[in-house]
Amino acid sequence: MKMNYLLKNRHKKNYSRKIIFIIGLFILGALAFSLFDNLLIKIISPLWRAENGFSRGLGRSADFFRSRQALMRENGTLKERLSSLELEVSELSLKKIELANLESLLGRTVYKESIAAGVLTHPPQSPYDLVVVDAGAHDGITVGARVTLPEGPLLGEVSEVFPTFSKVKLFSTSGEKTDAVLERHQVPVQLEGMGAGNFKIIVPRETEVVLGDRVLSSSLGSSLVAVVEDIKVTSTDPFKEILAKSPANIFSIRYVSVIK
Amino acid sequence: MRKRNLSSLALFLAIIFLPYWIYLPLLLVAVIIFPLYWEGILFGFFIDILYGRGVTAFPSLLSPIAFITVILIIVLLPLRERLRFNV
């Protein structure tokens, strides 16, 4: 008996050309984007400024028509202002102690010259906890310059500088490690960024830490970096995990100070 | 083709104005839906330039979003033959 076999209609496809195209495009893209990064951000930054202005303007006009909403918003703004002032007060009290300490250190002076900068983008627009500010090399900003809130708390460091704008890497960037000091007993610790303004600190179990304790930067003119929010202790672990949060709401920052 | 261009435009605007938890899933969906979505690689670089630590010529292999997009497109090439989309 004669047997007829159907021909296989699924022949092997050759993807090598497509893969070469994709890899080639990736390499070319890397080269092109590395050359034009400054230009790209320069082109996009007016759109960010317009968006910031538009969203604020829209908010104001909506308040006019919705009085109840307006009151709620005003309440929110006042609360924000209150927390900002509280931060300022706590920062000032810290400065007082700092000043007393500094008086004992002969020959050392802390002189901070800072420049105000507007925030163009902040998380959650950026997936990397990076902030783009509208001050750059023309304003005397350099890589590594420290960035604070106008009220005082430390936010991060300048990671890239362009002529008219800069990128600021927040200390809370995931995996970022920063030396700091637990204020209560002046215990040196390492803050590990967890993203979205959160930090993790590992300390020996015996270290005394209380909710609300402040974590300061380890530099001479120490500033507030984070506040202890949660403490996790397990009975078998010789260490305890402290979860701290940046005192600033990084999702709504508008202005920062860059210390030159 | 029109859908592809419109989606690319929407994605571009989303990258500039919207939070990452909107534009990154959109990018993933576009890479899965459209065949050989090479524009996704450029969008990956674009995101890294705007919001990341920048793209420098050689270590750009570490430019995470563009690199992941490349891997995803390559992995999806054979898979696509077994899937059917109405796009």
Side-chain angles (χ1 to χ4, degrees):
Chain A
M1 194 178 127
K2 195 181 173 188
M3 295 275 286
N4 284 325
Y5 292 98
L6 287 170
L7 286 170
K8 277 188 179 176
N9 61 353
R10 189 195 277 172
H11 47 269
K12 257 193 169 178
K13 284 225 170 187
N14 193 3
Y15 299 113
S16 55
R17 282 176 70 182
K18 286 180 179 175
I19 291 171
I20 289 168
F21 167 70
I22 291 296
I23 293 171
L25 184 73
F26 179 69
I27 294 166
L28 274 176
L31 289 170
F33 276 88
S34 65
L35 289 174
F36 300 113
D37 54 349
N38 178 25
L39 186 73
L40 259 174
I41 303 178
K42 217 173 182 177
I43 294 167
I44 300 296
S45 55
L47 290 174
W48 285 332
R49 278 200 189 97
E51 186 217 356
N52 287 343
F54 179 73
S55 57
R56 274 170 220 159
L58 197 74
R60 275 186 217 122
S61 51
D63 284 349
F64 180 76
F65 293 106
R66 285 176 290 177
S67 59
R68 198 173 166 190
Q69 290 269 346
L71 278 171
M72 281 168 72
R73 201 162 295 200
E74 196 184 343
N75 191 18
T77 315
L78 287 171
K79 275 182 184 164
E80 205 174 287
R81 180 80 188 128
L82 183 70
S83 66
S84 160
L85 286 170
E86 275 174 355
L87 272 176
E88 211 165 331
V89 168
S90 62
E91 185 70 18
L92 282 172
S93 66
L94 176 72
K95 294 278 175 206
K96 218 174 169 181
I97 302 163
E98 198 180 284
L99 199 66
N101 287 339
L102 279 171
E103 278 172 355
S104 65
L105 292 169
L106 287 169
R108 295 292 301 267
T109 52
V110 179
Y111 176 67
K112 288 178 183 174
E113 194 194 340
S114 62
I115 181 167
V119 173
L120 292 174
T121 62
H122 50 71
Q125 249 172 302
S126 160
Y128 302 107
D129 261 24
L130 239 116
V131 171
V132 181
V133 297
D134 65 357
H138 290 337
D139 306 287
I141 290 175
T142 51
V143 172
R146 297 224 147 180
V147 177
T148 66
L149 273 184
E151 294 87 6
L154 202 57
L155 283 177
E157 272 180 3
V158 173
S159 61
E160 266 185 283
V161 180
F162 299 90
T164 52
F165 50 87
S166 322
K167 284 183 185 173
V168 177
K169 187 169 69 176
L170 301 179
F171 290 135
S172 60
T173 304
S174 189
E176 183 73 17
K177 286 180 178 156
T178 314
D179 290 328
V181 176
L182 267 172
E183 192 188 25
R184 184 170 287 274
H185 294 299
Q186 300 291 312
V187 183
V189 290
Q190 198 170 49
L191 279 173
E192 191 184 336
M194 293 173 73
N198 298 303
F199 300 94
K200 186 171 80 177
I201 310 165
I202 306 287
V203 288
R205 200 187 161 81
E206 297 76 32
T207 311
E208 192 196 348
V209 188
V210 178
L211 292 185
D213 272 5
R214 305 190 317 168
V215 186
L216 312 175
S217 64
S218 60
S219 55
L220 185 63
S222 53
S223 305
L224 182 64
V225 181
V227 178
V228 174
E229 291 268 308
D230 194 17
I231 302 159
K232 286 181 182 170
V233 197
T234 45
S235 54
T236 50
D237 199 345
F239 294 95
K240 59 182 168 188
E241 190 181 290
I242 300 168
L243 298 174
K245 200 169 173 55
S246 170
N249 181 4
I250 62 161
F251 299 109
S252 63
I253 39 175
R254 285 191 198 171
Y255 304 99
V256 291
S257 295
V258 185
I259 300 164
K260 282 189 186 176
Chain B
M1 197 64 188
R2 203 172 158 226
K3 272 185 189 172
R4 188 173 172 133
N5 289 341
L6 281 173
S7 304
S8 296
L9 181 69
L11 195 52
F12 177 74
L13 293 173
I15 290 168
I16 296 172
F17 298 115
L18 297 179
Y20 74 89
W21 39 263
I22 293 180
Y23 63 73
L24 286 183
L26 279 179
L27 178 63
L28 178 72
V29 169
V31 168
I32 293 170
I33 287 180
F34 297 113
L36 198 73
Y37 193 67
W38 55 268
E39 296 94 326
I41 301 168
L42 303 184
F43 284 134
F45 280 123
F46 190 55
I47 294 166
D48 287 331
I49 287 284
L50 293 187
Y51 306 118
R53 285 162 213 175
V55 177
T56 43
F58 187 66
S60 61
L61 282 172
L62 301 171
S63 166
I65 297 170
F67 187 66
I68 291 168
T69 312
V70 166
I71 300 292
L72 205 64
I73 291 173
I74 292 172
V75 168
L76 280 171
L77 277 175
L79 277 178
R80 186 170 297 283
E81 300 297 319
R82 292 167 178 80
L83 300 169
R84 186 172 288 175
F85 295 101
N86 295 316
V87 179

